[in-house]
Amino acid sequence: MSAGLGVMRLFIIFMLGCLCPRQHCVQLEDWPDHADSQPRLLQLLQRIRLERHFETIVVYGRAPCVFHELLPQLELPTVLLANGSSLADWRFNSESTLLLCCGLSAEQEHNPHTLLRLQQARRLVQLAPKIRPRWLCAVYFAREQHNVAMLDARGNVYSCRLFQQPNYVQLVSFGSDSDSNSSSIYVQQYGNVQGAAIISEADQLMPRSMLFRNPSTGQLEMVGFVCNLINTFVRRLNATLKLRPDIELGKTIYYGIMERRVQGNELDVAASLTTTLTTNNMDYLSYPFVSTSYCFMIPLPARLPYKKIYTVIVEPLVLGVLLLLFLIFSLLLIYSQELSWRRLSLSQLLLNDRCLRGLLGQAFPWPQQASRHLKAICLLLCFASLMTTTMYESYLQSFFTHPPAESMLRSFADFRDSPYRIAVDRKEANRMLQSYNLTTDHARNAFILESWHEFVKMRDTFNASFIYPVTRLRWKSYNEQQKLFQEPMFYYSEDVCLHRFMLMCLPVRRHWPYRQLFENHMLSMWEFGVMQLWVRRAFYDMVQLNMTKLVDFSSGKPEEDAVYVRDLSWIFFFYVSANLLACICFAVEFCWGRYV
Ligand SMILES: *[C@@H]1O[C@H](CO)[C@@H](O)[C@H](O)[C@H]1NC(C)=O
Ligand SMILES: *[C@@H]1O[C@H](CO)[C@@H](O)[C@H](O)[C@H]1NC(C)=O
Ligand SMILES: *[C@@H]1O[C@H](CO)[C@@H](O)[C@H](O)[C@H]1NC(C)=O
């Protein structure tokens, strides 16, 4: 060892003696053969880097500390957090970050966002003398930071192992050359969590999460496509699912309450779905689980009564065209008879007997010694009459077999003019209005319910006096249900929506250690098509659990096939009034003839 280095060492030890209060940090003089330790430490970091790549180093704690001495040799971007906490949110990749902590209390991260991002990062802690690895591991486990290795003054490396006894393993001996013990320093800890608890709760909103008591075991269990995701995850990790035992079966809980429970660390993951649109803190949400739209289910408009069908088929425009045709044909007939306008008069034009009968598809006298022009025009008249009578007849007959529906609601303005009101829960209304920057004045048409459970119950019973907000995801099972009715009752409006595209996430506790694994599990469930199967099966799960009553909520009145005399009242009215008109005309003509 050169003399220069010796002097340097002395200097450092002297400086440390002045700067470092004994109880706070590890004294470098504690480290045997200190100059020799640096290459070994670098070697250790190299090994960690080979295990899994890291690109950024964060050093928590104040100099002097073994890690600080390494800084010039690291040749990697390094963040020094001497006060143990960062002010700015962590924005680098947290997967490829290595944390070096100068002692147990060096890391005092107060920034919750950084804490979350760096929770899964690997930590290498400098172990002060007299501190047992078992104890230190327990401290880190209590903080839910599980990726921890430590380095003691003798150069031993320990790695914490959750779900094992003892809770750590000793790896390479730093002081010796033997690198024989080749097990990994950091391992995936959650492969088998040995029955550790995952606390969850179902919001009991069908069909995504339903709760029931298994009759054979007496245990509470949950099903539904969101619950299935959690159930399979629990099984995959060999964990145990813990549900609150005193929960009221069948009572739907508002998802905002589930969010609050997760934020209060009461639950690890809630079997519920919430949207990214109304939440401002994404730390409590999982990766987006599913996308959907949030629109309205609206009562299907009633069928037109038979009585009104006659008025529907007479379109003013078509009638106008027919009248125009009539005038043109009668003009042509008058002209082509003698190729002059001599016979033209108002009565001939408006009450042209031949033209009237021709257009109504009746027989009319064929003129004798007809010219070519006249024949051509009569032929045209025949074809026109064929078209119009066929058109009206087919209209009438098809409408009688299947009456058309009244017009659908296509905008919020239509909602206002309709007899329906929008049923909505108060909490949900406030949330929606907030996301639209609206106030309750805009929602005059709303029927506000005080309880979410009541709202869901009303929607579930297809109460057709209201319009309900519903997600497309839920609508699918409603639609499945109403296929069993005599006639469908609601339709899903794609025109009037609260949100046309919405990402739904599961509420997840901020520092839930399995978050990443859970998200991977979620993605693989989609990837293998299991999720699609669950969503498709949702309605049958509801039926199987007796959650949905196979009751026909529609009016149940079979469609009336017969046409009654009362349905023809308009026709009779027209008939009588036309006859009266004819009689009056006849009377006028009669009198006219007598006096002229
Ligand atoms: C670090 O802590 C010291 C004393 O506790 C304080 O004076 C200093 O301003 C802090 N530095 C930062 C960057 O917070
Ligand atoms: C590594 O070393 C520790 C203690 O030195 C020992 O308990 C463990 O079994 C070793 N592991 C392997 C894979 O050799
Ligand atoms: C699952 O965890 C239990 C403890 O709850 C344990 O006894 C069992 O061996 C574990 N299963 C497997 C396959 O490791």
Side-chain angles (χ1 to χ4, degrees):
M1 195 154 294
S2 74
L5 213 69
V7 171
M8 188 70 180
R9 251 170 82 188
L10 263 175
F11 176 70
I12 288 173
I13 289 168
F14 172 71
M15 287 292 288
L16 289 183
C18 303
L19 288 175
C20 198
R22 237 202 128 77
Q23 62 275 26
H24 274 322
C25 42
V26 184
Q27 304 295 306
L28 282 191
E29 60 194 292
D30 292 340
W31 292 71
D33 202 0
H34 166 67
D36 197 30
S37 71
Q38 278 198 18
R40 290 187 174 282
L41 206 49
L42 282 176
Q43 224 175 337
L44 179 67
L45 294 185
Q46 197 61 38
R47 181 172 154 186
I48 293 174
R49 201 171 179 194
L50 277 177
E51 263 182 22
R52 208 172 77 214
H53 190 69
F54 60 80
E55 283 161 353
T56 320
I57 290 182
V58 182
V59 183
Y60 276 111
R62 226 178 281 265
C65 160
V66 272
F67 301 129
H68 280 255
E69 290 198 19
L70 284 181
L71 294 181
Q73 280 126 292
L74 285 177
E75 292 170 351
L76 278 175
T78 306
V79 180
L80 290 175
L81 297 173
N83 277 12
S85 180
S86 53
L87 294 174
D89 288 350
W90 188 255
R91 295 199 185 281
F92 305 102
N93 186 352
S94 23
E95 272 283 290
S96 56
T97 305
L98 181 73
L99 307 189
L100 302 176
C101 306
C102 302
L104 172 62
S105 52
E107 190 184 338
Q108 299 283 346
E109 191 56 74
H110 293 306
N111 182 331
H113 192 70
T114 306
L115 198 59
L116 173 65
R117 294 292 302 273
L118 292 180
Q119 188 188 8
Q120 303 289 334
R122 291 168 290 171
R123 288 173 166 72
L124 184 63
V125 185
Q126 188 184 22
L127 194 63
K130 300 202 195 77
I131 289 188
R132 302 262 64 82
R134 177 194 303 275
W135 182 77
L136 191 117
C137 283
V139 169
Y140 270 100
F141 289 164
R143 293 185 196 165
E144 296 193 296
Q145 291 164 342
H146 299 150
N147 254 344
V148 182
M150 60 202 92
L151 182 68
D152 74 0
R154 283 192 300 283
N156 296 320
V157 175
Y158 306 91
S159 176
C160 294
R161 295 283 194 265
L162 195 62
F163 310 114
Q164 264 184 31
Q165 275 311 326
N167 63 0
Y168 68 96
V169 290
Q170 184 176 359
L171 298 156
V172 265
S173 191
F174 181 56
S176 75
D177 269 335
S178 69
D179 203 1
S180 53
N181 198 327
S182 59
S183 78
S184 296
I185 299 178
Y186 298 99
V187 292
Q188 169 56 271
Q189 309 251 25
Y190 316 123
N192 178 359
V193 304
Q194 303 287 346
I198 289 178
I199 307 166
S200 184
E201 187 175 332
D203 71 352
Q204 304 199 55
L205 185 67
M206 290 185 287
R208 67 186 184 201
S209 78
M210 295 170 276
L211 207 60
F212 69 102
R213 200 171 284 285
N214 190 332
S216 55
T217 59
Q219 293 284 320
L220 277 181
E221 284 180 27
M222 46 185 206
V223 286
F225 54 87
V226 174
C227 293
N228 288 348
L229 181 76
I230 297 174
N231 287 339
T232 45
F233 181 65
V234 165
R235 232 171 296 154
R236 189 169 180 172
L237 255 59
N238 191 22
T240 46
L241 184 68
K242 229 170 99 183
L243 297 171
R244 228 178 54 200
D246 59 336
I247 192 156
E248 190 181 331
L249 280 184
K251 182 164 193 293
T252 312
I253 305 170
Y254 183 57
Y255 64 88
I257 296 177
M258 306 304 279
E259 269 173 27
R260 223 169 308 135
R261 289 201 179 143
V262 161
Q263 285 167 12
N265 292 338
E266 288 172 49
L267 303 175
D268 286 327
V269 52
S272 171
L273 286 178
T274 174
T275 152
T276 51
L277 293 169
T278 50
T279 325
N280 37 24
N281 198 340
M282 300 289 167
D283 289 358
Y284 293 101
L285 297 184
S286 72
Y287 187 84
F289 173 61
V290 63
S291 68
T292 184
S293 59
Y294 195 30
C295 303
F296 290 94
M297 58 188 254
I298 304 171
L300 270 172
R303 290 276 172 79
L304 212 63
Y306 285 116
K307 217 190 314 198
K308 274 196 181 169
I309 285 175
Y310 291 106
T311 51
V312 170
I313 61 168
V314 186
E315 273 273 315
L317 183 70
V318 180
L319 208 63
V321 170
L322 286 181
L323 219 64
L324 196 70
L325 269 182
F326 174 79
L327 292 180
I328 292 171
F329 273 120
S330 62
L331 276 178
L332 285 174
L333 276 176
I334 291 166
Y335 180 76
S336 58
Q337 253 167 358
E338 293 176 11
L339 290 181
S340 77
W341 291 116
R342 249 189 310 134
R343 282 184 173 220
L344 182 66
S345 68
L346 193 64
S347 61
Q348 271 296 314
L349 180 65
L350 292 185
L351 295 171
N352 193 310
D353 173 47
R354 228 172 252 168
C355 188
L356 193 65
R357 284 203 254 170
L359 265 188
L360 289 178
Q362 311 265 314
F364 60 91
W366 190 265
Q368 279 162 354
Q369 296 129 19
S371 65
R372 267 177 299 157
H373 307 279
L374 197 57
K375 276 181 189 164
I377 287 161
C378 286
L379 218 61
L380 280 181
L381 188 62
C382 284
F383 280 119
S385 81
L386 201 64
M387 292 301 289
T388 45
T389 47
T390 318
M391 183 184 78
Y392 269 107
E393 204 144 315
S394 53
Y395 244 133
L396 195 64
Q397 281 177 1
S398 60
F399 276 3
F400 263 122
T401 35
H402 193 86
E406 273 157 12
S407 69
M408 290 187 168
L409 309 182
R410 299 219 176 272
S411 67
F412 279 112
D414 286 354
F415 281 14
R416 252 199 312 277
D417 302 336
S418 77
Y420 307 116
R421 296 177 75 190
I422 305 170
V424 68
D425 168 66
R426 180 174 296 283
K427 295 184 280 278
E428 182 72 355
N430 287 341
R431 205 178 244 249
M432 284 190 306
L433 293 175
Q434 229 169 35
S435 70
Y436 271 115
N437 268 339
L438 295 176
T439 58
T440 30
D441 289 352
H442 292 87
R444 268 163 311 184
N445 207 26
F447 179 74
I448 306 265
L449 284 125
E450 292 304 329
S451 126
W452 176 253
H453 176 66
E454 220 172 282
F455 163 72
V456 171
K457 220 168 97 185
M458 202 158 103
R459 200 173 62 181
D460 284 350
T461 48
F462 288 81
N463 186 337
S465 4
F466 297 100
I467 294 169
Y468 305 93
V470 68
T471 59
R472 179 162 202 96
L473 218 52
R474 177 68 180 108
W475 167 252
K476 278 185 194 161
S477 55
Y478 279 137
N479 199 25
E480 208 67 40
Q481 190 175 353
Q482 71 172 1
K483 277 182 193 162
L484 304 173
F485 296 175
Q486 194 103 41
E487 56 191 11
M489 294 181 69
F490 280 86
Y491 67 98
Y492 187 68
S493 84
E494 297 282 5
D495 301 309
V496 197
C497 282
L498 291 166
H499 299 290
R500 270 172 222 287
F501 179 78
M502 198 164 72
L503 288 173
M504 307 290 277
C505 309
L506 272 78
V508 168
R509 183 160 66 85
R510 194 205 291 257
H511 294 295
W512 195 35
Y514 314 140
R515 175 193 283 263
Q516 225 171 10
L517 280 183
F518 182 68
E519 286 166 358
N520 288 343
H521 176 71
M522 184 194 289
L523 291 181
S524 56
M525 288 297 109
W526 276 112
E527 203 173 348
F528 293 115
V530 183
M531 207 55 237
Q532 286 89 330
L533 176 81
W534 287 337
V535 172
R536 250 198 334 266
R537 272 193 54 90
F539 177 66
Y540 302 101
D541 283 340
M542 283 162 62
V543 174
Q544 206 171 12
L545 288 178
N546 227 352
M547 297 269 177
T548 183
K549 312 235 166 7
L550 295 179
V551 176
D552 186 351
F553 290 112
S554 67
S555 61
K557 270 186 278 172
E559 236 172 83
E560 285 183 353
D561 291 334
V563 178
Y564 295 96
V565 175
R566 61 168 185 267
D567 296 330
L568 305 177
S569 53
W570 274 106
I571 280 293
F572 287 134
F573 175 73
F574 279 127
Y575 176 70
V576 169
S577 43
N579 265 330
L580 272 178
L581 196 72
C583 290
I584 292 167
C585 282
F586 178 70
V588 168
E589 213 167 301
F590 188 70
C591 298
W592 196 274
R594 179 168 286 191
Y595 293 112
V596 172

